[in-house]
Amino acid sequence: MRRLLLFAPLLLFTVGCGVVQSSEGEATDAAREVARKAGERLYGQRPRTAEEVGRSASGIDGVEVLRVTGTSTHDGDGVDVVVRTSGSAYNGWFDPEELTVRRCFAVRVSPTSEWGEDPRDVDCPDGPPLTFAPPPEPPRLPYEELRAELPRVPEGGRVDEAGVRRVLAALDLHPAIRTEVKADGGRVGVLLSVKGNGFDAQECLLARVGPGATEVWVPPRIQRMPGEGGCTVANALDPLPPPH
């Protein structure tokens, strides 16, 4: 009996250590899960710069961005983002307090990344979390101005392509706005567009000047998706049928 009593404190100490270690492991697993879900949020085939990836990561709840390496998602091995997350677990038997740990993980973002890929455990870099400037706002396409300034040609009249080009030049458009003008069948089509990313709907504005009618419009979103042909001067001259 005495021998059993001597073993009891040792048994309790051993079990207690096991509980503490297990709780820290559970908390670390919880922190890793936050980083893994952040990787899922960042996953995608769209080309992005390292700054864009870092900015996106910094906007995810529970994530601090400590380091970003690489140039863009489609260059070399892509972009590596070191994030710091936290996780919690309860010690259980001897300590009802919640144990919280902060850990760092590296998340890789590239076309070859796998969905739900496990982040790598890394040492936390020194220094505060990185901050990122907000993305630049795309230039506004001048719908009202274009609609007001384009010529109105009476029925039976002749559309002056040069006059349409002069209107566009007078609008003093932002350099990022691309213009295209084309005459066909007595009408003049106009395209104003902002370069897209190849994945999301492109921003564009169409106009058509013809005898008896001058129109300005934005194509439906589905037509502005890559490959749909909505943001072309051909669509200004001969509009695609509306989506169903």
Short mmCIF file of all heavy atoms in Angstrom, two decimals, residues 63-100:
data_model
loop_
_atom_site.label_atom_id
_atom_site.label_comp_id
_atom_site.label_asym_id
_atom_site.label_seq_id
_atom_site.Cartn_x
_atom_site.Cartn_y
_atom_site.Cartn_z
N VAL A 63 -5.28 36.98 -38.71
CA VAL A 63 -4.02 36.77 -39.42
C VAL A 63 -3.19 38.05 -39.38
O VAL A 63 -3.69 39.13 -39.68
CB VAL A 63 -4.28 36.36 -40.89
CG1 VAL A 63 -2.98 36.39 -41.69
CG2 VAL A 63 -4.90 34.97 -40.94
N GLU A 64 -1.92 37.91 -39.01
CA GLU A 64 -0.95 39.00 -39.12
C GLU A 64 0.09 38.59 -40.15
O GLU A 64 0.61 37.48 -40.11
CB GLU A 64 -0.26 39.26 -37.78
CG GLU A 64 -1.18 39.79 -36.70
CD GLU A 64 -0.46 39.95 -35.38
OE1 GLU A 64 0.27 39.02 -34.97
OE2 GLU A 64 -0.62 41.02 -34.75
N VAL A 65 0.39 39.47 -41.06
CA VAL A 65 1.39 39.20 -42.10
C VAL A 65 2.73 39.75 -41.64
O VAL A 65 2.87 40.94 -41.39
CB VAL A 65 0.98 39.83 -43.44
CG1 VAL A 65 2.05 39.57 -44.50
CG2 VAL A 65 -0.35 39.27 -43.91
N LEU A 66 3.72 38.86 -41.52
CA LEU A 66 5.04 39.27 -41.03
C LEU A 66 6.09 39.34 -42.13
O LEU A 66 7.09 40.04 -41.99
CB LEU A 66 5.51 38.32 -39.93
CG LEU A 66 4.63 38.25 -38.68
CD1 LEU A 66 5.28 37.36 -37.63
CD2 LEU A 66 4.38 39.63 -38.10
N ARG A 67 5.87 38.60 -43.22
CA ARG A 67 6.86 38.61 -44.30
C ARG A 67 6.21 38.15 -45.59
O ARG A 67 5.37 37.25 -45.58
CB ARG A 67 8.04 37.71 -43.96
CG ARG A 67 9.14 37.65 -45.04
CD ARG A 67 10.25 36.68 -44.64
NE ARG A 67 10.99 37.19 -43.49
CZ ARG A 67 11.73 36.41 -42.68
NH1 ARG A 67 11.79 35.11 -42.91
NH2 ARG A 67 12.37 36.94 -41.68
N VAL A 68 6.60 38.78 -46.69
CA VAL A 68 6.14 38.37 -48.02
C VAL A 68 7.37 38.26 -48.92
O VAL A 68 8.15 39.21 -49.02
CB VAL A 68 5.14 39.38 -48.62
CG1 VAL A 68 4.69 38.92 -50.01
CG2 VAL A 68 3.93 39.56 -47.72
N THR A 69 7.56 37.12 -49.55
CA THR A 69 8.69 36.93 -50.46
C THR A 69 8.19 36.48 -51.81
O THR A 69 7.15 35.82 -51.92
CB THR A 69 9.69 35.89 -49.91
OG1 THR A 69 8.99 34.66 -49.65
CG2 THR A 69 10.33 36.37 -48.62
N GLY A 70 8.96 36.81 -52.85
CA GLY A 70 8.55 36.50 -54.21
C GLY A 70 8.12 37.76 -54.93
O GLY A 70 7.94 38.83 -54.31
N THR A 71 7.94 37.64 -56.22
CA THR A 71 7.54 38.80 -57.04
C THR A 71 6.06 38.75 -57.37
O THR A 71 5.33 39.72 -57.17
CB THR A 71 8.36 38.81 -58.34
OG1 THR A 71 9.75 38.83 -58.03
CG2 THR A 71 8.02 40.06 -59.16
N SER A 72 5.61 37.62 -57.87
CA SER A 72 4.20 37.46 -58.20
C SER A 72 3.86 35.97 -58.13
O SER A 72 4.74 35.11 -58.11
CB SER A 72 3.88 38.02 -59.59
OG SER A 72 4.37 37.17 -60.60
N THR A 73 2.58 35.69 -58.14
CA THR A 73 2.13 34.30 -58.01
C THR A 73 2.58 33.44 -59.18
O THR A 73 2.72 32.22 -59.04
CB THR A 73 0.60 34.24 -57.90
OG1 THR A 73 0.02 34.93 -59.02
CG2 THR A 73 0.12 34.89 -56.62
N HIS A 74 2.79 34.05 -60.35
CA HIS A 74 3.12 33.28 -61.55
C HIS A 74 4.60 33.36 -61.92
O HIS A 74 4.98 32.96 -63.02
CB HIS A 74 2.25 33.75 -62.72
CG HIS A 74 0.84 33.26 -62.65
ND1 HIS A 74 0.03 33.48 -61.54
CD2 HIS A 74 0.09 32.55 -63.52
CE1 HIS A 74 -1.16 32.93 -61.76
NE2 HIS A 74 -1.14 32.37 -62.93
N ASP A 75 5.42 33.89 -61.04
CA ASP A 75 6.87 33.93 -61.27
C ASP A 75 7.57 32.95 -60.32
O ASP A 75 7.33 32.98 -59.10
CB ASP A 75 7.42 35.34 -61.03
CG ASP A 75 7.03 36.31 -62.13
OD1 ASP A 75 6.71 35.84 -63.24
OD2 ASP A 75 7.04 37.53 -61.88
N GLY A 76 8.42 32.10 -60.88
CA GLY A 76 9.18 31.17 -60.05
C GLY A 76 8.29 30.26 -59.23
O GLY A 76 7.37 29.63 -59.74
N ASP A 77 8.57 30.21 -57.93
CA ASP A 77 7.79 29.37 -57.02
C ASP A 77 6.57 30.08 -56.46
O ASP A 77 5.93 29.57 -55.53
CB ASP A 77 8.67 28.89 -55.86
CG ASP A 77 9.77 27.94 -56.33
OD1 ASP A 77 9.53 27.21 -57.30
OD2 ASP A 77 10.86 27.94 -55.73
N GLY A 78 6.26 31.25 -56.99
CA GLY A 78 5.10 31.98 -56.51
C GLY A 78 5.45 32.90 -55.36
O GLY A 78 6.58 33.39 -55.23
N VAL A 79 4.48 33.13 -54.48
CA VAL A 79 4.63 34.05 -53.36
C VAL A 79 4.49 33.27 -52.05
O VAL A 79 3.57 32.48 -51.90
CB VAL A 79 3.57 35.17 -53.41
CG1 VAL A 79 3.64 36.05 -52.17
CG2 VAL A 79 3.76 36.01 -54.67
N ASP A 80 5.42 33.50 -51.14
CA ASP A 80 5.35 32.92 -49.80
C ASP A 80 4.96 34.01 -48.81
O ASP A 80 5.56 35.09 -48.80
CB ASP A 80 6.70 32.32 -49.40
CG ASP A 80 6.71 30.80 -49.55
OD1 ASP A 80 5.83 30.29 -50.25
OD2 ASP A 80 7.58 30.15 -48.96
N VAL A 81 3.97 33.73 -48.01
CA VAL A 81 3.52 34.68 -47.00
C VAL A 81 3.69 34.04 -45.63
O VAL A 81 3.15 32.96 -45.38
CB VAL A 81 2.03 35.07 -47.21
CG1 VAL A 81 1.63 36.17 -46.23
CG2 VAL A 81 1.78 35.52 -48.64
N VAL A 82 4.46 34.70 -44.76
CA VAL A 82 4.60 34.23 -43.38
C VAL A 82 3.55 34.94 -42.54
O VAL A 82 3.53 36.17 -42.47
CB VAL A 82 6.01 34.50 -42.82
CG1 VAL A 82 6.07 34.13 -41.34
CG2 VAL A 82 7.04 33.70 -43.61
N VAL A 83 2.66 34.17 -41.96
CA VAL A 83 1.57 34.72 -41.16
C VAL A 83 1.69 34.26 -39.72
O VAL A 83 2.22 33.19 -39.44
CB VAL A 83 0.19 34.31 -41.73
CG1 VAL A 83 0.00 34.83 -43.14
CG2 VAL A 83 0.01 32.79 -41.69
N ARG A 84 1.22 35.10 -38.83
CA ARG A 84 1.16 34.73 -37.41
C ARG A 84 -0.30 34.62 -37.02
O ARG A 84 -1.10 35.51 -37.28
CB ARG A 84 1.87 35.77 -36.54
CG ARG A 84 1.85 35.41 -35.04
CD ARG A 84 2.86 36.26 -34.29
NE ARG A 84 2.60 37.68 -34.43
CZ ARG A 84 3.50 38.63 -34.20
NH1 ARG A 84 4.74 38.30 -33.86
NH2 ARG A 84 3.19 39.91 -34.36
N THR A 85 -0.63 33.49 -36.41
CA THR A 85 -2.00 33.23 -35.98
C THR A 85 -1.97 32.75 -34.54
O THR A 85 -0.91 32.47 -33.98
CB THR A 85 -2.68 32.17 -36.87
OG1 THR A 85 -1.96 30.94 -36.76
CG2 THR A 85 -2.69 32.61 -38.32
N SER A 86 -3.12 32.65 -33.94
CA SER A 86 -3.21 32.16 -32.56
C SER A 86 -4.24 31.04 -32.48
O SER A 86 -5.15 30.94 -33.31
CB SER A 86 -3.58 33.29 -31.60
OG SER A 86 -4.85 33.82 -31.91
N GLY A 87 -4.06 30.19 -31.48
CA GLY A 87 -4.98 29.10 -31.23
C GLY A 87 -5.10 28.85 -29.75
O GLY A 87 -4.20 29.19 -28.98
N SER A 88 -6.20 28.30 -29.33
CA SER A 88 -6.47 28.10 -27.90
C SER A 88 -6.94 26.69 -27.62
O SER A 88 -7.53 26.02 -28.49
CB SER A 88 -7.51 29.11 -27.40
OG SER A 88 -7.08 30.44 -27.59
N ALA A 89 -6.68 26.24 -26.39
CA ALA A 89 -7.17 24.94 -25.92
C ALA A 89 -7.19 24.99 -24.40
O ALA A 89 -6.50 25.80 -23.78
CB ALA A 89 -6.29 23.81 -26.42
N TYR A 90 -7.98 24.11 -23.75
CA TYR A 90 -8.07 24.07 -22.30
C TYR A 90 -7.12 23.00 -21.75
O TYR A 90 -6.99 21.91 -22.31
CB TYR A 90 -9.49 23.79 -21.85
CG TYR A 90 -10.40 24.98 -22.01
CD1 TYR A 90 -11.19 25.11 -23.15
CD2 TYR A 90 -10.45 25.99 -21.04
CE1 TYR A 90 -12.02 26.21 -23.32
CE2 TYR A 90 -11.26 27.09 -21.20
CZ TYR A 90 -12.04 27.20 -22.34
OH TYR A 90 -12.85 28.30 -22.50
N ASN A 91 -6.46 23.34 -20.61
CA ASN A 91 -5.52 22.40 -20.00
C ASN A 91 -6.23 21.16 -19.45
O ASN A 91 -5.66 20.08 -19.38
CB ASN A 91 -4.75 23.08 -18.86
CG ASN A 91 -3.69 24.02 -19.42
OD1 ASN A 91 -3.29 23.90 -20.57
ND2 ASN A 91 -3.25 24.97 -18.63
N GLY A 92 -7.46 21.34 -19.04
CA GLY A 92 -8.21 20.17 -18.61
C GLY A 92 -8.18 19.91 -17.12
O GLY A 92 -8.71 20.71 -16.34
N TRP A 93 -7.55 18.82 -16.68
CA TRP A 93 -7.71 18.30 -15.33
C TRP A 93 -7.34 19.29 -14.24
O TRP A 93 -8.09 19.52 -13.32
CB TRP A 93 -6.84 17.05 -15.16
CG TRP A 93 -7.32 15.88 -15.94
CD1 TRP A 93 -8.28 15.87 -16.90
CD2 TRP A 93 -6.85 14.55 -15.81
NE1 TRP A 93 -8.44 14.62 -17.40
CE2 TRP A 93 -7.57 13.77 -16.74
CE3 TRP A 93 -5.88 13.94 -15.01
CZ2 TRP A 93 -7.36 12.41 -16.89
CZ3 TRP A 93 -5.67 12.58 -15.16
CH2 TRP A 93 -6.41 11.82 -16.10
N PHE A 94 -6.14 19.86 -14.32
CA PHE A 94 -5.60 20.60 -13.18
C PHE A 94 -5.73 22.11 -13.32
O PHE A 94 -5.54 22.84 -12.36
CB PHE A 94 -4.13 20.23 -12.97
CG PHE A 94 -3.92 18.77 -12.81
CD1 PHE A 94 -3.36 18.01 -13.83
CD2 PHE A 94 -4.31 18.13 -11.65
CE1 PHE A 94 -3.18 16.65 -13.68
CE2 PHE A 94 -4.14 16.76 -11.50
CZ PHE A 94 -3.57 16.02 -12.52
N ASP A 95 -5.97 22.59 -14.52
CA ASP A 95 -6.00 24.04 -14.74
C ASP A 95 -7.14 24.36 -15.69
O ASP A 95 -7.06 24.07 -16.89
CB ASP A 95 -4.66 24.50 -15.31
CG ASP A 95 -4.58 26.01 -15.40
OD1 ASP A 95 -5.57 26.68 -15.08
OD2 ASP A 95 -3.51 26.52 -15.80
N PRO A 96 -8.22 24.96 -15.18
CA PRO A 96 -9.36 25.27 -16.06
C PRO A 96 -9.09 26.47 -16.98
O PRO A 96 -9.92 26.81 -17.80
CB PRO A 96 -10.49 25.58 -15.07
CG PRO A 96 -9.77 26.12 -13.87
CD PRO A 96 -8.47 25.36 -13.78
N GLU A 97 -7.91 27.11 -16.83
CA GLU A 97 -7.60 28.26 -17.67
C GLU A 97 -7.41 27.84 -19.12
O GLU A 97 -6.90 26.74 -19.41
CB GLU A 97 -6.33 28.95 -17.16
CG GLU A 97 -6.45 29.60 -15.80
CD GLU A 97 -7.28 30.87 -15.85
OE1 GLU A 97 -7.23 31.54 -16.90
OE2 GLU A 97 -7.96 31.18 -14.86
N GLU A 98 -7.75 28.73 -20.02
CA GLU A 98 -7.56 28.47 -21.45
C GLU A 98 -6.11 28.79 -21.83
O GLU A 98 -5.58 29.84 -21.48
CB GLU A 98 -8.53 29.32 -22.28
CG GLU A 98 -8.52 28.99 -23.75
CD GLU A 98 -9.55 29.83 -24.50
OE1 GLU A 98 -9.70 31.01 -24.19
OE2 GLU A 98 -10.20 29.28 -25.42
N LEU A 99 -5.48 27.89 -22.56
CA LEU A 99 -4.11 28.09 -23.03
C LEU A 99 -4.16 28.64 -24.46
O LEU A 99 -4.79 28.06 -25.34
CB LEU A 99 -3.34 26.77 -23.01
CG LEU A 99 -1.93 26.79 -23.63
CD1 LEU A 99 -1.00 27.62 -22.77
CD2 LEU A 99 -1.39 25.37 -23.79
N THR A 100 -3.49 29.77 -24.69
CA THR A 100 -3.44 30.39 -26.02
C THR A 100 -2.00 30.49 -26.48
O THR A 100 -1.13 30.91 -25.72
CB THR A 100 -4.08 31.79 -26.00
OG1 THR A 100 -5.46 31.67 -25.61
CG2 THR A 100 -4.02 32.44 -27.37
#
